[in-house]
Amino acid sequence: MLGVKDEILSVIEDRLGLRLVVRGADIYIPDDDPDLAANLTNLIGQFVDMTARGARPSGVEVRYALDLLADGHRPDLLSLLENTICVTNRGKQVRPYTQGQKEYVDAIDSNDVIFAIGPAGTGKTYLAVAKAVAALRSSSITRIVLVRPVVEAGERLGYLPGDLLEKIDPYIRPLHDAFYDLLPTERFTRYVEKGIIEIAPLAYMRGRTLNSSFIILDEAQNTTREQMKMFLTRLGLGSKAVVTGDITQVDLPANKESGLRMIGDILKEIPGIAFCNLTNYDVVRHDIVQKIVRAYEAFEKYEKYAGYSGDGRTSQALVS
């Protein structure tokens, strides 16, 4: 349960600033803070149960659970084990690691259109691709359509050589990375050649009707209001659409408003449409990514209310 070189033990000690003693099959927890000791006892008990079920806890899950404890919440990690989506090429189970991710996966099961909004590293795209692959394997759909707005992130790439797929490949690469983890490379290539997996820039979606498809619109913060409306009205019979984006990373020109920012106000009353707001709690990348997300959130709040001169004083004040 404690992992290689007691990795899990080290994460707990570093996060909580205390010393745990392991002797044989027993873990001794300091009782200076009775509430913390009781909550940590409950959490370690969950880790034991997870290990007994063959799902050894990862550093991601431990950090997530400890963050919840620090904010006065009691995590329930065992409920996350029930939501296995599919298995990767290496035999690893794909499942939600946080409660926010679980709600997102449940929303995909229960709705026709799902909006997943949150910071980088929260699994928005990866979980959508995993659900699409699972739906394809179960024959509940016949096609997966990957869509992205072709917008450059703050830089001009200029002319790109090649045919359409080669031109848009740099923009679709994050979706490729997820598929390569879930499907053998040859099968993915074969699916693309047969049109079972289709890759399309958003601009090429106008006039189409997509039936029996699982459609993923990634980086949706870079769509305009008109583009968002156009995309959502492509949905045909037996299809499902997942729209993902991070409204803090908009790359549109200053005179263009993101269609993702206003979509909740427009569609919130329609049955069959779900909105999932993921937070820094749900970041499942490297631990440093969660810290980066929080630092940017703190800076943007300070910038909004106190102003920022650009001389570095604000960021230094945040650090201190």
Side-chain angles (χ1 to χ4, degrees), residues 157-178:
L157 299 181
Y159 173 76
L160 293 175
D163 59 21
L164 175 62
L165 287 179
E166 291 171 331
K167 289 178 188 293
I168 67 172
D169 184 72
Y171 301 95
I172 304 294
R173 181 57 56 181
L175 294 167
H176 280 194
D177 293 341

Side-chain angles (χ1 to χ4, degrees), residues 245-256:
D246 178 0
I247 56 175
T248 69
Q249 297 195 45
V250 177
D251 300 313
L252 291 170
N255 62 340
K256 294 285 187 179

Side-chain angles (χ1 to χ4, degrees), residues 11 39 50 85 113 129 175 180 187 198 211 220 245 259 267 306:
V11 172
N39 288 331
M50 290 176 67
I85 300 170
V113 179
V129 170
L175 294 167
Y180 289 147
R187 186 181 304 172
E198 180 182 348
N211 296 316
L267 303 181

